[in-house]
Amino acid sequence: MGVALRDIIAPYKKPAEPQDLTGVASIDAYNALYQFLSIIRQPDGTPLMDAKGRVTSHLSGIFYRTSNFLQQGIQPVWIFDGKPPELKSRTIDERRAVREEAQEKWNQAKREGDTAGAFRYAMASSRLDDEILYSARELLGLLGVPVVDAPSEGEAEASNMVRTGVARYVASQDYDTLLFGAPLLVRNLTVSGKRRFHGRMVNVQPETVVLEEVLMGLGLSREELIDVAILVGTDFNEGATGVGAKTALKRVKAGEFGDIISSKLPDLDPEPVRSFFLNPPVSDSYPLEWKKPEHDRIIAFLCENYGFSEDRINPILEKITGRGKQRTLDSWF
DNA sequence: CCCGCGTA
DNA sequence: TACGCGGGG
C-alpha cells in the first residue's frame, strides 16, 4: 500500500536479470505475507486451509518460494514489523475498516454467486493474525531462513540493512522503502515470472528500482522525494486532496511545499513525518545465519500438522537439503 | 502464489 | 518448449 508515487517512479523501473538477484535479499515480511494471503485462494476467494480450518496459503507460498530462492542463489532474510509509530494509527484504523467492509462484501458476493467480486473482496479482507505470523516464523525457522524483528517499521529496517551493506536489496511491492533510503528495491521477486490475474496469465518479471537513478532522474534530493510523498499522502500522514504525484513533484521542485501544506493541509506538521523517514528506529545489528533446511521436521510440520501432501513436498525438499545425489547446495550453508 | 499435467 | 488450466490445503 503505502505511497502513491508509482506515476513518477515507474519510468525508472528496470527488468531484473538473474545475476542482479543473487545474494542477501531483505524481505518485507508483512508485504510478502499479505501477497500470499490475498492471492493464494480458490476462485471464490476461499484461502487454502487444513482440515481444522486453519489458513495455510502463506505456508504454501513461503515453502515454494524459499525453495526456489535457495536454488537460485538468493539468500532471503525476513524482516517483521515491530511496534508501529503513533503517526500510523490513522492508517491502521482505516485499513481495519476497509478490511471489515470487504469481509461483508465477500460474503454478499458469494451469496449472489459473483465469483469475480468474491475473489476481489476476499483479497481485500486478508488479515495477518497471530496464528499466521507464528506459523510463518516457525516454517522459516525450519527452512533455516533468518528472521529479523524490526523495532518499528519492517520497511525501515530492511532499507537500513541495504544501506549498511548487510543485504543487497529490499524485496517489496511498496515504494516506501525508497523513502527510507533503500539504495536498491526489487519488486515482483518471484522465480516463475508468471502470475494469474483475473483468470488470465500475465508475465510478471522481477524489476529493480535504483534510488540514485530515481533521484537523479527526477532532479530531487531524498529529502525532497519525501516531501513529494508527504503531499500525496503516506502511511504516516493524510495527503492533500487533488494533489497527485505529478503535481506534488512540480510543487516541490518549485519550492512550494510549505505553501501547499499551509493552504491544503493546515493541520499537518510535516516535520515528524520527514524525520521518521530519514531517521526511523532500526536495530543496526544483524547476526544472520542461513542453515540447512530440516527435512524431517518440515515434513512433520507441513504434512502431518497442516495436511500438505508429502508427494509434493518431499521432492522439493530433497533438492534443497541435498539428500540423494545433489550436494551442490551444501556449499551454501 | 506454486506445481504439474495435457496439449500442440 | 511454451502455454493454459486445474488443484493445492
Side-chain angles (χ1 to χ4, degrees):
Chain A
M1 348 266 154
V3 153
L5 293 178
R6 189 175 41 204
D7 288 349
I8 57 171
I9 292 179
Y12 303 98
K13 295 188 300 193
K14 289 188 296 193
E17 303 303 324
Q19 67 268 19
D20 299 331
L21 304 176
T22 57
V24 178
S26 273
I27 313 253
D28 177 354
Y30 276 42
N31 190 272
L33 289 174
Y34 269 118
Q35 195 97 334
F36 290 146
L37 283 179
S38 57
I39 292 166
I40 305 180
R41 288 173 184 272
Q42 292 173 307
D44 73 346
T46 310
L48 298 188
M49 288 184 299
D50 71 359
K52 296 177 188 164
R54 295 177 296 182
V55 172
T56 54
S57 298
H58 59 301
L59 301 177
S60 177
I62 290 170
F63 176 74
Y64 290 116
R65 190 173 287 185
T66 302
S67 306
N68 284 329
F69 282 177
L70 296 177
Q71 292 173 74
Q72 306 268 328
I74 298 171
Q75 294 168 276
V77 44
W78 281 56
I79 320 301
F80 284 79
D81 282 14
K83 188 183 187 307
E86 188 56 38
L87 287 169
K88 202 178 178 180
S89 50
R90 180 188 54 82
T91 298
I92 292 170
D93 292 345
E94 273 176 17
R95 285 184 188 165
R96 183 187 302 119
V98 168
R99 263 199 322 267
E100 285 168 3
E101 199 184 327
Q103 182 84 38
E104 301 277 316
K105 288 184 174 171
W106 178 21
N107 292 331
Q108 190 184 336
K110 272 194 291 192
R111 280 197 303 272
E112 293 169 357
D114 171 12
T115 310
F119 193 90
R120 204 170 56 247
Y121 291 125
M123 285 179 75
S125 68
S126 304
R127 181 173 167 270
L128 300 184
D129 60 22
D130 284 349
E131 196 171 328
I132 286 167
L133 292 172
Y134 285 133
S135 53
R137 296 172 70 114
E138 189 166 356
L139 179 56
L140 289 167
L142 295 176
L143 286 164
V145 172
V147 158
V148 169
D149 283 298
S152 183
E153 292 291 281
E155 289 178 316
E157 183 89 325
S159 300
N160 188 58
M161 291 171 72
V162 182
R163 280 156 67 76
T164 57
V166 170
R168 188 174 180 189
Y169 56 89
V170 178
S172 174
Q173 296 304 100
D174 290 354
Y175 291 107
D176 302 40
T177 48
L178 298 171
L179 305 178
F180 285 118
L184 180 60
L185 164 66
V186 175
R187 303 178 73 248
N188 305 330
L189 182 60
T190 61
V191 178
S192 91
K194 281 177 195 156
R195 185 175 297 177
R196 191 152 28 191
F197 191 66
H198 292 307
R200 297 181 193 290
M201 298 302 292
V202 284
N203 232 326
V204 181
Q205 256 199 309
E207 53 197 30
T208 57
V209 184
V210 179
L211 176 60
E212 190 78 7
E213 292 174 5
V214 171
L215 297 178
M216 288 284 286
L218 295 176
L220 297 176
S221 63
R222 185 175 144 216
E223 286 78 1
E224 289 169 325
L225 182 64
I226 291 168
D227 282 354
V228 170
I230 289 174
L231 292 183
V232 177
T234 74
D235 283 355
F236 314 108
N237 75 280
E238 217 159 351
T241 47
V243 178
K246 287 180 181 172
T247 307
L249 175 63
K250 218 182 299 174
R251 297 299 189 216
V252 167
K253 292 185 87 161
E256 296 165 6
F257 175 79
D259 302 337
I260 309 260
I261 294 290
S262 40
S263 66
K264 296 208 166 199
L265 297 166
D267 296 334
L268 173 68
D269 176 6
E271 275 316 314
V273 182
R274 282 174 162 167
S275 66
F276 189 78
F277 278 120
L278 288 171
N279 281 304
V282 289
S283 68
D284 242 338
S285 162
Y286 311 105
L288 305 182
E289 194 190 347
W290 287 265
K291 297 177 191 155
K292 190 186 246 186
E294 299 187 58
H295 181 285
D296 294 353
R297 292 183 65 195
I298 292 171
I299 293 290
F301 181 78
L302 285 180
C303 304
E304 286 163 38
N305 192 1
Y306 282 103
F308 283 70
S309 155
E310 208 168 322
D311 289 345
R312 281 171 173 251
I313 299 299
N314 224 338
I316 292 167
L317 215 39
E318 280 175 3
K319 277 197 258 180
I320 59 171
T321 52
R323 278 202 184 181
K325 38 209 153 162
Q326 275 200 319
R327 303 217 52 146
T328 46
L329 278 164
D330 283 349
S331 55
W332 275 97
F333 306 104

